Amino acid sequence: MQKENCRPDGRELGEFRATTVNIGSITTADGSALVKLGNTTVICGVKAELAAPALDSANKGYIVPNVELPSLCSTRFRSGPPGEEAQAASQFIADVIENSQIIAKEDLCIADGKLAWVLYCDIICLDYDGNILDASTFALLAALKNVQLPSVTINEETGLSEVNLKQKNPLVIRKHPVATSFAIFDDTLLIVDPTAEEEDLATGTVTVVTDEDDRLCSVHKPGGSPLTGAKLQDCISRAITRHKEVKKLIDKVIKSIKPK
Amino acid sequence: MEVAEEAAGCSLRPFSCEQGLLSRPDGSATFVQGDTSVLAGLYGPAEVKGSRESPDGATVEVLLRPKVGLPGVAERSREQLLRRTFEAVLLGSLHPRTSITVVLQVLSDAGSLLACCLNAACMGLLDAGLPLSSLFCGVTCALDPHGDIILDPTARQEQEAHAVLTFAIDSAQRKVLATTTRGSCSAEEAGLPAPRPISGRGGVAAATRAGSGL
């Protein structure tokens, strides 16, 4: 691979797989998105429920992400409690939500101290062919853009909440974080968007999350071969370019959906 | 206990390390940075159960125990980072079909916890006599609202900062082994700590002094 500068599937070292997005396919969810990065298929469903805000942050709602890697997607995962990779991915998505401020939790509050929205974001991998973090982040972003929350009012006499399903509002998405993952080979070679086969052979991985202001929301390198600072800078620049491509794709898809 | 002197150009909290304090584990070390302290215990090379056995090298397992409560998803994510960092420096191929277990117990958390865990584990690996290709150190940098870089931040400084970056740097070539960030920052601000590991040099030099002194 190093000699020919080309990968087993014919891609260049810096080339991504074909990315496709399908929004709003799950009608029972408040928002959903299906993302395919080559063969890696990830679906994200968002359900909104009502709850009382926490005592120490009375004006904030909750966003609860959960990444599942069921045994359906690959033979490497057994059924049972979530394995290390699924838990690490869930923590990564929670960190991306927190660091990028994709949604301000204050926007999810309906009545201070009494009622707030909880957004349960379930990200399920249907087909595992590497680069799960990029696909999950993208699916989450697309699903959140698709979410329509019903308007809720609190009846002053009874103190109960009244949900109006006919009047729905979209969520205010503040930032658009996009993840770009790289696989490291032998301390020098960096390839973008690794497949499962490339990930198994790689000696390390790096994931960079950027938002539209070219700010870094996360540089995630969980161990693996060492990298120089200059190589990390290259990864960051590539991630910034990738962000623009993904943003264009999301905007195109959102525009193409006819309002219900 | 070895107490390190401050290297030029660093503004780290006073840090110290003690090795070989536990009798049962093959290696143990405690690392104290200011008020943050972590105890590391190592078992290995030891027997590994059937399916996890690897003929290529040692299987590394990391257990991170928080000070209060049961380990959750955040601990699992950190365990994965620590495990992959150790796998990069350990010469595991010298001990195939064995397991190396690193247990980290958080004794107190006053900021820069992950860096302290990395440092404690490195001193523990040395104490256990495991073959390493290089030493490594953990450093945390906080970017405060004025744009200054604070090394080895306290819990309060971490909360006030708009970004906190943790790096694991190896001693052989001063390259970045692992990194994790919290909060958001511009690419220029992040680029500064990575190629300028003064703290890395200070930390590793002091840690090596401390390790060789014991």
Side-chain angles (χ1 to χ4, degrees), chain B residues 5 9 11 46-47 75 78 84 97 107 125-126 137 140:
Chain B
E5 304 126 25
S11 54
E47 196 182 327
E75 275 72 38
R78 289 189 164 182
R84 293 208 200 159
R97 284 182 290 278
L107 298 172
L125 285 164
L126 281 174
C137 75
T140 307

Side-chain angles (χ1 to χ4, degrees), chain B residues 174-192:
Chain B
R174 306 272 190 267
K175 285 186 184 176
V176 177
L177 275 170
T179 155
T180 182
T181 64
R182 190 178 65 74
S184 70
C185 59
S186 70
E188 291 81 38
E189 287 168 330
L192 290 170

Side-chain angles (χ1 to χ4, degrees), chain A residues 109-131:
Chain A
C109 183
I110 302 164
D112 262 32
K114 291 198 206 118
L115 207 60
W117 284 113
V118 186
L119 294 176
Y120 289 107
C121 310
D122 295 307
I123 300 166
I124 299 162
C125 177
L126 301 172
D127 194 348
Y128 186 92
D129 195 20
N131 205 1

Side-chain angles (χ1 to χ4, degrees), chain A residues 82-88 90-92 95 98-100 187-188 204-205 211 214-230 232-233 236 240, chain B residues 72-77 79-85 88 162 165 167 170 173-192 194-195:
Chain A
E84 184 199 70
E85 191 162 350
Q87 292 198 43
S90 298
Q91 184 61 36
F92 175 80
D95 289 341
E98 183 65 41
N99 293 343
S100 63
D187 299 9
T188 46
T205 58
D211 70 10
D214 291 348
R215 287 182 74 79
L216 288 178
C217 303
S218 174
V219 177
H220 181 74
K221 183 183 186 302
S225 329
L227 274 186
T228 58
L232 264 180
Q233 283 288 107
I236 294 170
I240 292 176
Chain B
V73 182
E75 275 72 38
R76 287 293 225 133
S77 168
E79 283 171 10
Q80 188 196 52
L81 184 143
L82 291 162
R83 182 176 54 81
R84 293 208 200 159
T85 310
H162 66 260
L165 306 103
F167 297 95
D170 81 324
Q173 291 166 314
R174 306 272 190 267
K175 285 186 184 176
V176 177
L177 275 170
T179 155
T180 182
T181 64
R182 190 178 65 74
S184 70
C185 59
S186 70
E188 291 81 38
E189 287 168 330
L192 290 170

Side-chain angles (χ1 to χ4, degrees), chain A residues 30 117 144-152 164-172:
Chain A
D30 295 300
W117 284 113
L144 286 172
K145 290 211 84 150
N146 179 234
V147 168
Q148 300 273 0
L149 289 178
S151 49
V152 181
N164 185 351
L165 288 167
K166 301 239 170 57
Q167 193 191 16
K168 292 202 177 181
N169 312 307
L171 274 177
V172 178

